[in-house]
């Protein structure tokens, strides 16, 4: 793993280590805003309240005894690939590895919301983590805040999972032990770790992590408006070769990577070995699973010696294709344009 920050821990996978559809737990990136909270399973409670008829709390064994579901979902940090932005922007300088794909086991959020009997006017569901701290840079609220974010009721009632296991093992401390949300198709920030509270509200929530942070400028008739980041954009990343790799001339090289999208499946990945001038179609491996990435490969007949720029471009079943140019409205997030990988052919 590549350490981007030691405390709190922020680590990414060296993306060239991509080998399997499911990312091994020890290779799954870690993104923390505050120190990892120390949670003792026996003292831990999840409280469900707000605009509900029956607020309640559960212990982890209550959840383990409910009907469980296992889903495969890709989490990508909204700042993944930030190091590719020119000029440089603030934030963790992720390369390609702040993304991973895992099998998550837990209970549907909707089961808890149904049990609590939400008010008809319920509009959003706030998920709050147990981790907290102060924000260093203004604009900032005073004092400590917890990491929290909201979901529209429709999404919360659809496919959001409250997971206690990742790839068949209990969640590790860094990944949210004992319980985290997994919000399929959304950037990672929505998948709250160390979940301790679920609050039903009839108001739009404008917490720090969806207004000041993890928001972007969406343009419509009325001009740009700051809105919370939600769904992942269609994107392909090249795992091999890695940036600055030296490759043998006049031979065959297997270019490999992964591609993902949200609420759809990846239907095509193309690879360019001449900085986007011409494209060839990659082979997609395995079966497509919605909200999980798809591995792909492309055989490159390497040319004569020189410097070359490789790119990958994904298209999904809703016809969305990765753009060549960066959309600056994303600010420091949603880096999903075609990313250049420079290699030297010798
Ligand atoms: N409570 C809490 N949940 C959190 C975070 C956090 O700092 N605290 N980071 C979020 C972000 S920005 C991402 S990308 C994912 C990362 O999940 P992982 O560390 O398990 O890969 O967790 C999200 N959930
Ligand atoms: Mo993130």
């Amino acid at each position: 793993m590549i350490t981007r920050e030691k405390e709190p821990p922020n680590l990414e996978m060296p993306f060239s280590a991509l080998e399997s559809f499911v990312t091994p737990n020890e290779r799954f990136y870690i993104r923390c805003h505050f120190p990892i909270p120390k949670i003792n399973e026996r003292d831990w409670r999840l409280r469900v309240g707000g605009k509900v008829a029956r607020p309640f709390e559960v212990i982890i064994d209550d959840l383990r005894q409910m009907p469980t579901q296992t889903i495969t979902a890709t989490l990508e940090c909204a700042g993944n690939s930030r190091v590719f932005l020119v000029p440089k922007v603030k934030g963790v300088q992720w390369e390609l590895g702040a993304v991973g794909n895992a099998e998550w086991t837990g209970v549907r959020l909707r089961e808890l919301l149904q049990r609590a009997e939400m008010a008809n006017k319920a509009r959003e569901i706030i998920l709050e983590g147990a981790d907290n701290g102060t924000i260093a840079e203004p604009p900032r609220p005073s004092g400590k805040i917890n990491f929290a974010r909201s979901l529209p009721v429709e999404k919360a009632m659809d496919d959001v999972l409250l997971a206690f296991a990742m790839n068949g093992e209990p969640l590790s401390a860094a990944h949210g032990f004992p319980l985290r949300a997994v919000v399929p198709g959304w950037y990672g920030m929505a998948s709250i770790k160390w979940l301790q509270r679920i609050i039903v509200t009839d108001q739009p929530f404008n917490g720090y992590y969806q207004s000041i942070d993890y928001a972007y400028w969406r343009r419509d008739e009325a001009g740009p408006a700051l809105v919370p980041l939600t769904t992942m954009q269609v994107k392909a990343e090249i795992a091999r070769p890695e940036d600055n790799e030296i490759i043998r001339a006049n031979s065959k090289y297997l270019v490999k990577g992964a591609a993902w999208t949200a609420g759809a499946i990846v239907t095509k990945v193309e690879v360019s070995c001449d900085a986007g001038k011409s494209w060839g179609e990659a082979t997609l491996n395995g079966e497509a699973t919605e909200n999980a990435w798809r591995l792909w490969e492309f055989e490159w007949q390497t040319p004569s010696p020189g410097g070359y720029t490789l790119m990958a471009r994904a298209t999904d079943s809703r016809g969305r294709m990765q753009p060549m140019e960066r959309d600056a409205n994303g600010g420091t997030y949603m880096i999903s344009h075609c990313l250049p990988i420079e290699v030297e052919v010798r």
Side-chain angles (χ1 to χ4, degrees):
M1 297 297 277
I2 306 167
T3 304
R4 297 277 165 226
E5 202 179 335
K6 241 183 160 157
E7 198 43 57
N10 282 292
L11 286 80
E12 71 177 293
M13 173 176 118
F15 202 62
S16 58
L18 177 76
E19 259 159 20
S20 50
F21 175 63
V22 167
T23 309
N25 288 352
E26 63 280 4
R27 287 235 186 249
F28 203 100
Y29 79 100
I30 295 171
R31 175 69 180 112
C32 297
H33 294 77
F34 302 124
I36 296 173
K38 292 195 173 54
I39 297 176
N40 175 336
E41 187 180 295
R42 268 181 302 162
D43 301 331
W44 179 86
R45 297 284 182 280
L46 173 65
R47 285 177 286 152
V48 183
K51 297 280 183 282
V52 300
R54 299 173 192 280
F56 64 90
E57 53 175 59
V58 289
I59 61 172
I60 197 72
D61 280 336
D62 296 334
L63 297 174
R64 290 186 185 127
Q65 276 150 30
M66 288 172 66
T68 64
Q69 303 258 347
T70 297
I71 61 167
T72 308
T74 294
L75 296 190
E76 181 190 14
C77 181
N80 186 33
S81 314
R82 190 174 279 138
V83 74
F84 286 89
L85 295 185
V86 186
K88 288 242 164 301
V89 296
K90 277 200 269 182
V92 182
Q93 295 298 302
W94 302 112
E95 291 182 38
L96 298 168
V99 58
N101 186 58
E103 282 176 359
W104 310 95
T105 303
V107 303
R108 294 281 185 197
L109 171 56
R110 79 167 155 255
E111 304 258 346
L112 300 192
L113 294 174
Q114 279 161 352
R115 177 168 156 198
E117 296 178 24
M118 283 190 286
N120 288 333
K121 60 184 178 182
R123 188 166 164 176
E124 295 192 0
I125 312 298
I126 303 169
L127 304 179
E128 181 193 76
D131 52 330
N132 59 41
T134 54
I135 306 295
E137 290 207 14
R140 57 172 186 184
S142 68
K144 286 190 168 185
I145 60 168
N146 285 67
F147 193 87
R149 231 175 174 274
S150 73
L151 294 167
V153 167
E154 300 71 42
K155 180 67 178 172
M157 291 296 284
D158 182 16
D159 56 358
V160 176
L161 195 72
L162 305 183
F164 43 73
M166 177 178 182
N167 296 330
E169 284 172 30
L171 282 179
S172 66
H175 290 297
F177 178 85
L179 189 74
R180 77 172 304 164
V182 174
V183 181
W186 286 40
Y187 281 110
M189 78 276 133
S191 293
I192 303 297
K193 303 192 278 189
W194 312 293
L195 199 60
Q196 67 173 7
R197 214 149 59 105
I198 296 173
I199 307 151
V200 177
T201 89
D202 55 0
Q203 302 291 319
F205 178 61
N206 291 311
Y208 183 83
Y209 292 103
Q210 61 195 65
S211 54
I212 304 296
D213 211 357
Y214 294 109
Y216 73 105
W217 294 101
R218 187 175 65 200
R219 279 181 182 275
D220 57 21
E221 310 86 73
L226 201 55
V227 295
L229 290 171
T230 58
T231 52
M232 297 189 290
Q233 305 290 297
V234 63
K235 182 174 179 182
E237 287 190 359
I238 297 175
R240 297 296 306 276
E242 54 187 9
D243 212 24
N244 298 319
E245 193 170 314
I246 294 164
I247 292 174
R248 213 150 63 95
N250 306 308
S251 60
K252 288 188 194 321
Y253 186 100
L254 198 59
V255 180
K256 292 187 203 181
W260 56 93
T261 184
I265 58 167
V266 170
T267 48
K268 186 160 76 172
V269 172
E270 296 159 288
V271 174
S272 171
C273 301
D274 54 11
K277 282 192 221 78
S278 64
W279 298 86
E281 210 165 318
T283 306
L284 301 175
N285 298 347
E287 296 289 307
T289 311
E290 209 169 285
N291 301 318
W293 69 19
R294 209 163 177 192
L295 303 189
W296 54 265
E297 52 190 52
F298 175 83
E299 196 180 81
W300 183 27
Q301 179 60 52
T302 65
S304 48
Y308 294 87
T309 303
L310 272 60
M311 288 178 172
R313 176 170 79 183
T315 302
D316 74 12
S317 52
R318 288 166 68 180
R320 297 172 293 198
M321 189 201 269
Q322 243 180 294
M324 278 297 283
E325 299 298 328
R326 162 78 180 149
D327 177 356
N329 289 311
T332 63
Y333 298 115
M334 293 205 280
I335 300 113
S336 67
H337 60 293
C338 297
L339 304 172
I341 301 296
E342 316 286 349
V343 299
E344 195 194 320
V345 175
R346 263 191 205 158

